[in-house]
Amino acid sequence: MPPTIKLALTYDDVLITPKRSTFASRKEALTKTSLTKKLSLGIPIVSANMDMVTGETMAVTLARLGGIGIIHRFMTIEENANVIRRVKRAQNLIISDPYTIEPTATVMEVKIKAAELGVGGLLVANSDRKLLGVISSRDLLFATSDIQTVAEIMTPYDKLVVAKEGVTFAEAKRILAEKKIEKLPIVNGQRVIEGLVTMADLKNLGQYPLANVNSDGKLIVGGSVGVNGDYIERAQELVKAGVDVLVVDIAHGHSDLMVKAIEKLRAACPGVEIIAGNIATADAARDLCEVGVDGLKVGVGPGATCITRLVTGCGVPQLTAVMNCAEAAKKYNVPVIADGGIQKSGDIVKAVGAGADSVMVGALFAGTAESPGRIVTRGDKKFKVYRGSASFDVSEKRKTLGLEKKDLSEVVPEGVESVVPFKGSVTDIVGQLVGGLRSGMSYTNSHTVDELQQNCEFVQITNAGQRESGPHDIGSL
Ligand code: XMP
């Protein structure tokens, strides 16, 4: 029997038919959704675990906007855990283990430590964490030399306002406002440091009301692991660092290797949420749901840097892949991430309409101020590098870091390296994407993501329809 040929479509092949709408404003659309069985998102946007997309700054920014960043894994385990730790410390209600410095340290040492940790000041404590004082950026301004000691210039304990162990966040907030101070250390009866509340964290709370945080006020963040080599150790270190969700990410996620990896990760990291991928079929979704994953990542070959379909001949156009996987995953209540190929806000509306609970974005966020990597200037234009995780360049980077055992001559790349124009802040891009999503929800009279999934009716369009959908028959400026 010859193989059958089914029709499969992607975002540009379809449009969503508008419906009578009760909306007075697109602001009525609620974008809250699920990332995994337990974790939710304020907006259905996840940044890709790629080395030129998601590091600390991207993860912090996206979580503050209500999404989540998945930190890439193309770095040592130690560095990877440190990135997670830094995201977790970026925002707090009460910091339970504040950074400290010894009173014998020099001004130079304080400056270096504060810069490394990304903080303005430090609590001064002895080795038993007994609070001796605070050294702030203001104290540093009045230092006369870099070899002065902390003890000489700190604000000593008897001049500090401190709160007693057990203080509530609301009380701490009131004290900060009343005393007009930047930092409020919390100590127990023996003056041992129990926590810290800072003005900077209070400002963040006001500035980012939609921030995706857990009960401690810390931002939610994801980490990624593979299925070979040191992945269990990496996962355990990420969990120790406070990661909220692990993304087990390989090119072909519908595999025995993936199933075994999920089983091992479950045993090694009990309680952590696990998203697995990438997959493109209902069979794959069902098999991974049966193993007990908490989320699925769908997309084989739709990404901007992907050449998997060219190299292997395999893949499924993304809209069909999302529809099939989401239908299967719904039976297990497992949320689906549509990963790759999102070029514009309308694609997000279509992905969610097709059943995805969120989308993962790479290319659109590469080239922003928040993505890792430096800006390259050519003439009067600015660019940033963007490359596939399966590109030769990433394999070379992995080899240099000792993460790749294979000889580089054996690598068959399934991704390419390129540059994308520098685009400014990701906050503006997310604003446009979410605005477009809300408008799409109003066109379909969907007040929630769930309603969009119920209400969506697609029409397949032709090349003429695609041409008609973009700007046409006008000049370019
Ligand atoms: P976009 O289109 O947003 O897609 O840039 C991001 C997603 O692309 C996938 N990815 C790859 N796929 N070869 C592939 O076939 C690669 O080298 C590669 N690198 C990333 C990945 O799923 C990502 O989230």
Side-chain angles (χ1 to χ4, degrees):
M1 271 248 291
T4 53
I5 301 182
K6 292 182 190 157
L7 176 71
L9 303 174
T10 193
Y11 301 126
D12 281 349
D13 294 320
V14 299
L15 286 170
I16 301 168
T17 48
K19 285 203 156 55
R20 178 171 176 152
S21 176
T22 58
F23 276 66
S25 155
R26 66 165 184 244
K27 290 199 183 115
E28 290 169 30
L30 301 176
T31 54
K32 191 167 189 289
T33 187
S34 300
L35 175 73
T36 62
K37 283 184 185 167
K38 290 200 191 121
L39 292 175
S40 60
L41 297 170
I43 56 171
I45 297 182
V46 182
S47 69
N49 44 306
M50 298 172 74
D51 75 335
M52 291 295 149
V53 179
T54 311
E56 176 190 346
T57 316
M58 180 64 78
V60 168
T61 311
L62 259 192
R64 282 182 171 156
L65 296 171
I68 188 171
I70 311 294
I71 304 291
H72 71 88
R73 63 181 150 98
F74 306 113
M75 56 185 127
T76 61
I77 294 178
E78 193 190 356
E79 199 186 341
N80 204 167
N82 281 337
V83 175
I84 299 286
R85 264 186 212 104
R86 286 201 296 271
V87 177
K88 281 297 185 189
R89 293 188 79 110
Q91 204 167 297
N92 307 268
L93 292 181
I94 296 178
I95 305 169
S96 56
D97 54 345
Y99 298 127
T100 60
I101 194 150
E102 300 251 331
T104 49
T106 63
V107 165
M108 178 55 89
E109 284 166 335
V110 178
K111 286 182 183 166
I112 294 172
K113 188 164 181 177
E116 273 173 8
L117 299 171
V119 293
L122 292 160
L123 299 187
V124 183
N126 64 15
S127 53
D128 296 330
R129 287 183 76 76
K130 184 169 172 185
L131 182 65
L132 304 174
V134 167
I135 183 144
S136 66
S137 46
R138 211 179 317 153
D139 296 322
L140 287 173
L141 280 182
F142 295 111
T144 50
S145 119
D146 276 350
I147 53 167
Q148 272 185 298
T149 63
V150 166
E152 288 173 71
I153 62 161
M154 69 183 184
T155 307
Y157 182 82
D158 54 13
K159 297 223 172 90
L160 292 179
V161 179
V162 296
K164 288 275 167 279
E165 175 183 28
V167 67
T168 64
F169 178 66
E171 280 172 66
K173 199 170 147 183
R174 190 187 49 73
I175 300 171
L176 277 172
E178 196 178 290
K179 305 286 182 192
K180 299 197 173 9
I181 48 174
E182 292 283 324
K183 290 186 189 327
L184 180 67
I186 302 170
V187 292
N188 68 14
Q190 286 74 49
R191 259 169 69 179
V192 172
I193 298 167
E194 293 288 336
L196 175 69
V197 181
T198 71
M199 203 55 164
D201 283 330
L202 280 188
K203 280 189 204 145
N204 284 331
L205 274 183
Q207 204 174 340
Y208 307 107
L210 297 178
N212 193 8
V213 292
N214 64 13
S215 53
D216 305 341
K218 291 185 198 298
L219 298 168
I220 302 282
V221 64
S224 59
V225 296
V227 299
N228 280 316
D230 58 15
Y231 74 101
I232 293 286
E233 190 194 340
R234 185 177 293 267
Q236 286 173 323
E237 290 305 313
L238 297 187
V239 170
K240 265 193 235 158
V243 82
D244 298 281
V245 52
L246 288 174
V247 175
V248 197
D249 177 71
I250 55 172
H252 185 27
H254 192 195
S255 62
D256 292 354
L257 270 177
M258 174 60 82
V259 170
K260 284 205 187 85
I262 294 165
E263 286 165 354
K264 282 195 180 159
L265 283 165
R266 276 272 176 252
C269 309
V272 72
E273 295 286 278
I274 295 181
I275 296 173
N278 274 22
I279 57 165
T281 63
D283 279 354
R286 194 201 51 232
D287 286 355
L288 297 188
C289 287
E290 287 286 341
V291 193
V293 295
D294 306 296
L296 286 171
K297 199 150 80 81
V298 174
V300 175
T305 57
C306 303
I307 50 168
T308 293
R309 294 179 187 172
L310 304 184
V311 173
T312 68
C314 296
V316 177
Q318 185 67 344
L319 188 87
T320 298
V322 169
M323 283 178 102
N324 292 344
C325 291
E327 192 186 358
K330 283 271 175 295
K331 296 187 187 124
Y332 297 84
N333 274 325
V334 171
V336 161
I337 305 172
D339 174 22
I342 299 291
Q343 297 168 25
K344 43 208 177 303
S345 53
D347 298 341
I348 303 181
V349 187
K350 292 173 189 177
V352 175
D357 300 277
S358 63
V359 299
M360 181 172 263
V361 172
L364 271 184
F365 291 169
T368 59
E370 291 80 0
S371 68
R374 46 187 193 88
I375 298 172
V376 195
T377 310
R378 292 278 175 275
D380 61 349
K381 298 211 164 55
K382 290 179 177 171
F383 301 90
K384 278 182 117 172
V385 170
Y386 182 43
R387 57 191 180 191
S389 302
S391 64
F392 186 80
D393 292 72
V394 172
S395 299
E396 207 172 35
K397 176 179 175 182
R398 287 169 48 79
K399 188 84 187 166
T400 316
L401 291 171
L403 303 172
E404 174 68 76
K405 300 280 170 281
K406 249 189 276 164
D407 194 277
L408 285 180
S409 62
E410 292 170 48
V411 171
V412 181
E414 287 185 27
V416 295
E417 183 189 49
S418 188
V419 287
V420 286
F422 177 66
K423 304 171 188 141
S425 173
V426 76
T427 304
D428 299 333
I429 296 174
V430 169
Q432 289 296 313
L433 294 178
V434 174
L437 168 63
R438 288 208 161 105
S439 292
M441 291 170 76
S442 78
Y443 274 76
T444 54
N445 199 29
S446 309
H447 290 81
T448 62
V449 163
D450 199 38
E451 278 180 28
L452 177 57
Q453 292 173 345
Q454 311 295 324
N455 291 350
C456 196
E457 262 175 33
F458 290 111
V459 284
Q460 190 181 340
I461 60 173
T462 61
N463 285 344
Q466 272 176 25
R467 183 171 175 276
E468 189 186 61
S469 299
H472 55 88
D473 303 317
I474 49 173
S476 55
L477 287 174

